């Protein structure tokens, strides 16, 4: 086991000193906020919230280029876009795969914006070499083999909370990555399942606030997947930032009505601009 943290505590001592089940991710173990740096201007965990924007899925080069230029001009710090989409139904659009990753990495250089994309299988690890940050989605939060193998690449990871996971399970999933020697983890509260069915998920601001006490890792919010509808994204985004969120990941599409994935919850350029002005 590799522990590369700024601390001299040994594996044995961690077990004794930190009473919680999660150790390396806890504030007890590491009292200062961890900063996860993508580049000099994009740092999670500091005073300035990091805004990630882009489509749920990469559909074509033309689509992504238009979105990348626009969200950057409006003020996004990073571009999102899924090449591999984990879908609840096998009949839904599951992404354009390898070609999507090649499109997003080319556009990143052309437009000058760092990128994040979701990995769904250890078989694809080599394809993610040119991505600045790797997303592990809600459906894979408990895929411990994937967590360890992605951790080993050493790149920053956005770890989304499982839709039915407790805070402890969420932090233990992050613990898998830190225990592997990769401290560059940003947590993401993306809404949980409750008895309430009137919106897609419930943005759990309690946990968003509590995690900042329990852990030194940065945490951001995903109001798009929490809400499941575009008209709730702005109020949820503002609420999350008020609760101390270190950033936001927002789905933005050039033509939400025609989007191949998550169009209902995607903001168009005007609404995204309005959100950024309000922040
Ligand atoms: C996504 O970011 O498009 C996604 C699939 O999110 P989640 O894993 O939170 O459902
Ligand atoms: Mn989505």
């Amino acid at each position: 086991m590799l522990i590369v943290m700024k601390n001299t505590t040994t594996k044995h001592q961690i077990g004794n000193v930190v009473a919680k089940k999660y150790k390396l991710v806890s504030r007890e173990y590491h009292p200062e906020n961890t900063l996860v740096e993508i580049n000099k201007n994009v740092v999670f965990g500091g005073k300035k919230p990091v805004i990630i924007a882009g489509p749920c899925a990469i559909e074509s080069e033309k689509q992504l280029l238009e979105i990348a230029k626009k969200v950057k001009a409006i003020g996004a710090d990073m571009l999102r876009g899924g090449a591999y989409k984990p879908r609840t139904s096998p009949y839904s659009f599951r992404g354009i795969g390898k070609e999507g990753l090649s499109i997003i990495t080319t556009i990143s250089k052309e437009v000058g914006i760092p990128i994040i994309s979701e990995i769904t299988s250890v078989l694809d690890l080599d394809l993610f070499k040119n991505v600045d940050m790797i997303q592990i989605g809600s459906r894979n939060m408990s895929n411990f083999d994937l967590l360890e193998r992605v951790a080993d690449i050493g790149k920053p990871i956005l770890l989304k909370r499982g839709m039915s996971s407790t805070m402890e399970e969420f932090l233990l999933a992050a613990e898998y990555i830190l225990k592997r020697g990769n401290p560059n983890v940003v947590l993401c509260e993306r809404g949980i399942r409750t008895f309430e069915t009137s919106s897609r998920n419930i943005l759990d601001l309690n946990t968003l606030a509590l995690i900042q006490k329990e852990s030194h890792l940065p945490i951001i919010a995903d109001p798009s997947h929490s809400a499941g509808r575009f008209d709730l994204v702005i109020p949820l985004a503002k609420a999350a930032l008020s609760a101390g969120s270190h950033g936001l990941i927002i789905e933005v599409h050039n033509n939400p009505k025609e989007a191949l994935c998550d169009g209902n919850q995607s903001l168009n350029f005007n609404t995204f601009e309005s959100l950024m002005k309000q922040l």
Side-chain angles (χ1 to χ4, degrees), residues 122-215:
V122 293
L123 301 176
D124 301 326
L125 276 167
D126 285 348
L127 302 173
F128 281 76
K129 284 203 182 96
N130 299 320
V131 169
D132 300 287
M133 185 177 213
I134 301 180
Q135 175 173 323
I136 297 185
S138 192
R139 289 158 191 79
N140 274 311
M141 185 206 86
S142 304
N143 184 343
F144 305 119
D145 187 42
L146 183 66
L147 295 179
E148 290 190 333
R149 298 285 297 280
V150 176
D152 289 347
I153 305 182
K155 280 187 187 282
I157 295 173
L158 183 72
L159 178 64
K160 292 186 128 191
R161 181 182 184 183
M163 61 188 84
S164 302
S165 302
T166 63
M167 180 185 76
E168 187 177 271
E169 288 161 348
F170 187 20
L171 289 176
L172 284 170
E175 186 82 14
Y176 267 89
I177 301 170
L178 269 72
K179 187 167 177 282
R180 209 73 185 176
N182 185 345
N184 298 309
V185 178
V186 176
L187 303 168
C188 178
E189 164 54 39
R190 49 77 74 202
I192 53 169
R193 279 198 166 161
T194 71
F195 57 86
E196 180 59 85
T197 53
S198 58
S199 40
R200 187 172 178 183
N201 292 290
I202 300 296
L203 182 63
D204 182 2
L205 292 179
N206 293 36
T207 295
L208 184 99
L210 184 54
I211 276 189
Q212 293 164 64
K213 297 187 185 297
E214 288 293 307
S215 176

Side-chain angles (χ1 to χ4, degrees), residues 55-57 80 82 84-87 118 135-140 160-161 163 188 190-191 200-201 222 225 249 251 261-262 265:
C56 179
R80 64 154 288 153
Y84 294 91
K85 297 303 306 172
R87 302 305 300 273
E118 176 170 358
Q135 175 173 323
I136 297 185
S138 192
R139 289 158 191 79
N140 274 311
K160 292 186 128 191
R161 181 182 184 183
M163 61 188 84
C188 178
R190 49 77 74 202
R200 187 172 178 183
N201 292 290
D222 177 344
H225 290 87
I249 180 164
E251 286 186 338
C261 183
D262 285 347
Q265 67 198 33

